[in-house]
Amino acid sequence: MGGSYEIKYDISDFERGLGELINRLEQRQPLMRELAAAMHDAVEENFAQQGRPARAGWSPRYVRTRQGGKILQKRGRLVSSISEYHDNDSATVGTNVVYARIHQEGGTITIPARSQRAYYKQHKDGSVGNRFVKKSKSNFSQWNTIGENKITIPACPFLHLTESDVDGMENTAQNYLQRVIDG
């Protein structure tokens, strides 16, 4: 009796399974959608907590003058402008509000010298009050020249992820990969 005895592994099943896995991994839009949503939630939390870590550089007096004591939320335009985008290869969160950059990075704004009409209330004795009033309440106005001035705005990075945000996103990605592998 002749012949040979062998154990043979046919790789075609493995290659087919690997090909299916690669195809599933190439469709990453669901993962990118989850990551964009997680980043959006993190940015909204930054606004809610006035920064994580807390924003520095704002005087307590300034914070008290803000509506509800909230920095960056006078009218809510900036926070409501945050939008998310995702495609197969990226997840993005951002804003197109023009003044967002100065809040994110900080900086100095130079307001040029200018002339403008100011409205006052003139009393019956001829004296003029030293407070501005609305034009409709005024009976006296004059042109004033205001010199150049600078306003320094500390950085308030609202487009920021904390370490725990990043950890959560890494867990989201790992869970997604496990779901893909498990089929």
Side-chain angles (χ1 to χ4, degrees), residues 1-2 8 17 19 29 38 55 63 68 74 77 82 110 114 119 125 134-135 140:
M1 268 199 209
K8 185 176 182 181
Q29 277 213 19
R55 306 202 193 297
V63 172
K74 185 174 182 181
R77 180 174 178 218
I82 304 299
T110 301
R114 64 206 180 277
Y119 297 94
D125 65 5
K134 291 180 182 178
K135 183 178 180 181
F140 178 82

Side-chain angles (χ1 to χ4, degrees), residues 18-32 88-89 173 176-181:
L18 186 59
E20 289 171 8
L21 178 61
I22 289 170
N23 284 339
R24 288 194 305 265
L25 286 173
E26 286 177 347
Q27 303 304 315
R28 293 178 297 277
Q29 277 213 19
L31 171 62
M32 294 302 144
N88 199 55
D89 299 314
Y176 175 82
L177 287 174
Q178 192 60 54
R179 289 193 312 264
V180 168
I181 290 169

Side-chain angles (χ1 to χ4, degrees), residues 11-22:
I11 199 165
S12 60
D13 286 342
F14 174 76
E15 285 178 336
R16 185 172 46 257
L18 186 59
E20 289 171 8
L21 178 61
I22 289 170

Side-chain angles (χ1 to χ4, degrees), residues 35-45 79 81-84 93 161:
L35 295 178
M39 289 189 297
H40 197 161
D41 289 347
V43 169
E44 287 184 346
E45 190 63 25
V79 69
S81 75
I82 304 299
S83 60
E84 59 187 75
V93 172
L161 299 175

Side-chain angles (χ1 to χ4, degrees), residues 134-154:
K134 291 180 182 178
K135 183 178 180 181
S136 62
K137 304 256 187 218
S138 170
N139 59 3
F140 178 82
S141 69
Q142 71 182 29
W143 282 93
N144 295 305
T145 300
I146 301 166
E148 175 182 284
N149 64 329
K150 296 179 185 293
I151 300 171
T152 300
I153 297 178

Side-chain angles (χ1 to χ4, degrees), residues 71-167:
I71 294 172
L72 293 174
Q73 295 187 57
K74 185 174 182 181
R75 287 182 222 93
R77 180 174 178 218
L78 187 57
V79 69
S80 65
S81 75
I82 304 299
S83 60
E84 59 187 75
Y85 170 79
H86 69 276
D87 59 20
N88 199 55
D89 299 314
S90 66
T92 305
V93 172
T95 176
N96 62 357
V97 171
V98 174
Y99 57 83
R101 178 181 294 260
I102 194 80
H103 288 298
Q104 177 74 16
E105 299 173 2
T108 301
I109 299 171
T110 301
I111 300 173
R114 64 206 180 277
S115 291
Q116 67 185 44
R117 184 175 294 276
Y119 297 94
Y120 304 92
K121 183 78 171 166
Q122 185 173 27
H123 305 292
K124 290 180 181 179
D125 65 5
S127 65
V128 176
N130 62 356
R131 294 191 160 214
F132 301 122
V133 296
K134 291 180 182 178
K135 183 178 180 181
S136 62
K137 304 256 187 218
S138 170
N139 59 3
F140 178 82
S141 69
Q142 71 182 29
W143 282 93
N144 295 305
T145 300
I146 301 166
E148 175 182 284
N149 64 329
K150 296 179 185 293
I151 300 171
T152 300
I153 297 178
C156 288
F158 57 92
L159 290 175
H160 167 76
L161 299 175
T162 65
E163 195 173 317
S164 65
D165 295 332
V166 173
D167 289 346

